[in-house]
Structure formats: C-alpha cells, structure tokens
Amino acid sequence: MADSTVVSDQQRSGSGQTTPSRGPYIAVITNRSTTLVIRGFMLFSIGVFLALVLNLLQVQRNVTLFPPDVISSIFSSAWWVPPCCGTASAMIGLLYPCIDSRLGEPHKFKREWSSVMRCVAVFVGINHASAKVDFANNVQLSLTLAALSIGLWWTFDRSRSGFGLGVVIALLATLSTQLLVYNGVFQYTSPDFLYIRSWLPCIFFAGVITMGNIGRQLALYECKLMSEKTHQD
C-alpha cells in the first residue's frame, strides 16, 4: 500500500508543470507562428530605422530630391519610404534563413552578433560614401561601391544563396526605383543610368546582404532558445 502511494505521488509530481519560467519571450517563443511575427516585427523596425538614417544622408547631400509637399514629414523623408524599406527588410530577413533551410545548407560563417553589427556598420559606411565622398566621375564611384559591396558579402556571408538572392533582389529593387522616378514620385540629381544613379544596385545589394545576416542571426538565436526550452521540458 505504501509503495502504491509513492508511485502515485511520483506520477502526480511528474505530470505537474514545475519548469521554472524564464521570461515572457521564452514562454511565447514555442509558438512558431508567433516567433515569425516577432522576428518580422524586429526586422521591420530595423529596416525603418536604417531607412530614416540613410535616406536623411541622401537628402542632405541632395542626392535624392522629393517634391516640396512631401518634405514636411519626419527627418525630411517621404512618409512611405521607411515603411516600404521596413517591409522589404522583414521579407528579406525571413527569406534568407528559409532558403538556407530549403537548400539544406545552414549558414555557419561568422554566426555571432558582433559580426552582424560590423556588417551593419560597413553597410552604413558604403551608403555614406555614396552620399558624401566626391569621386572624379560616376564610373569610378560605381566601381568602388561595387567592390565594397562584394567585399561586404565576402567578409560577412560567402554563401552562394546569399549572393544569388542579393543580386536578384537588388535588380528588382533597382527596377522598382526606376519606375518610381519615371512616374515623378522623386528624382535623382545627375542621373547617369536610366533615370537613376548607376551605383544604386550596389547599395541595394549591400543592404540585402546586411538584412539577410540580421535575419539569419535572429533565426539562430530563436533556434537556441527553443532548444533550451525543449531541454527544460
């Protein structure tokens, strides 16, 4: 009778939820759809912030010109630019780890936050150079930015999927920008390539690589948290 009582107590204690809570984020992160929303929102916020900062540099140097009636919004930027960049950043950041998983080629090169932060700093530097560094001609500027962008990919990514997605998305973004400029939404000073600046695809490529690295790191961090939660259960 005593043995059965002990077994019953062990079953009740085993079935009870005694795992200590480690915070609301870890408690919620077990839901996959919720984690995608959280990651998407974080990527969207990062994209909006970078768009505000980088577009402000372009406007201050008169690289891009918006009509007078849209300059009244925050940081002298058209209101639709940050949300569009944020949405694109979220899509890119979620797409990169998904493609890695589909190809069965997990990205393991420099998987730490310090590397991601350096990648962001280099991307901001490339954009800053396009706005403030004076070159002899646009060809020299374009070639320099192209080399810097490929160097960014080689330093912080080196994956074939990352390079391929970067090129495709950069071309699509360039085409979209050409359509916007053609329809008079905004314009570039001294355009030298089909209504835009010839170095623009290099900036898009570097931005795609940067947001892809951020998305991969967030996915890796999420995976680690889920693994810890599974071990606790």
Side-chain angles (χ1 to χ4, degrees):
M1 185 68 179
D3 293 341
S4 62
T5 304
V6 172
V7 172
S8 178
D9 291 339
Q10 290 177 348
Q11 290 176 346
R12 285 196 298 269
S13 63
S15 61
Q17 296 180 356
T18 59
T19 301
S21 174
R22 294 187 59 192
Y25 180 74
I26 296 180
V28 173
I29 204 170
T30 55
N31 188 315
R32 185 168 181 80
S33 60
T34 304
T35 60
L36 286 176
V37 172
I38 294 175
R39 257 197 293 151
F41 178 77
M42 295 176 67
L43 290 164
F44 176 85
S45 301
I46 295 172
V48 168
F49 175 76
L50 290 176
L52 289 172
V53 173
L54 300 179
N55 193 59
L56 178 61
L57 292 175
Q58 301 286 344
V59 172
Q60 285 182 339
R61 290 288 293 180
N62 292 324
V63 176
T64 57
L65 297 177
F66 291 92
D69 56 338
V70 300
I71 298 297
S72 58
S73 57
I74 186 171
F75 291 123
S76 298
S77 171
W79 67 269
W80 49 267
V81 172
C84 288
C85 293
T87 302
S89 299
M91 294 176 63
I92 293 168
L94 294 175
L95 181 62
Y96 262 69
C98 180
I99 294 297
D100 291 340
S101 177
R102 293 290 183 182
L103 294 177
E105 299 177 357
H107 188 259
K108 299 180 180 179
F109 182 70
K110 292 189 175 181
R111 306 313 310 144
E112 61 272 348
W113 281 110
S114 59
S115 176
V116 173
M117 296 306 297
R118 288 195 297 270
C119 182
V120 173
V122 173
F123 169 60
V124 173
I126 291 175
N127 196 287
H128 185 75
S130 70
K132 291 198 172 185
V133 178
D134 295 324
F135 286 83
N137 52 64
N138 287 326
V139 174
Q140 183 180 356
L141 174 59
S142 299
L143 293 176
T144 301
L145 294 182
L148 290 174
S149 299
I150 295 176
L152 182 143
W153 166 79
W154 180 256
T155 303
F156 300 104
D157 191 316
R158 295 192 186 183
S159 66
R160 292 174 296 177
S161 59
F163 185 85
L165 281 174
V167 171
V168 172
I169 296 175
L171 292 177
L172 292 176
T174 302
L175 178 61
S176 300
T177 304
Q178 288 177 325
L179 294 175
L180 292 174
V181 174
Y182 179 77
N183 288 285
V185 177
F186 68 98
Q187 62 181 352
Y188 283 91
T189 57
S190 305
D192 60 319
F193 178 72
L194 298 177
Y195 308 107
I196 62 173
R197 302 294 292 270
S198 57
W199 45 258
L200 191 60
C202 305
I203 300 297
F204 284 140
F205 177 82
V208 171
I209 297 300
T210 301
M211 293 310 305
N213 277 339
I214 296 175
R216 282 167 166 165
Q217 191 65 26
L218 288 174
L220 179 63
Y221 179 69
E222 172 191 306
C223 183
K224 288 182 178 180
L225 290 180
M226 293 183 69
S227 177
E228 291 178 3
K229 181 65 176 177
T230 301
H231 290 160
Q232 287 179 3
D233 295 339

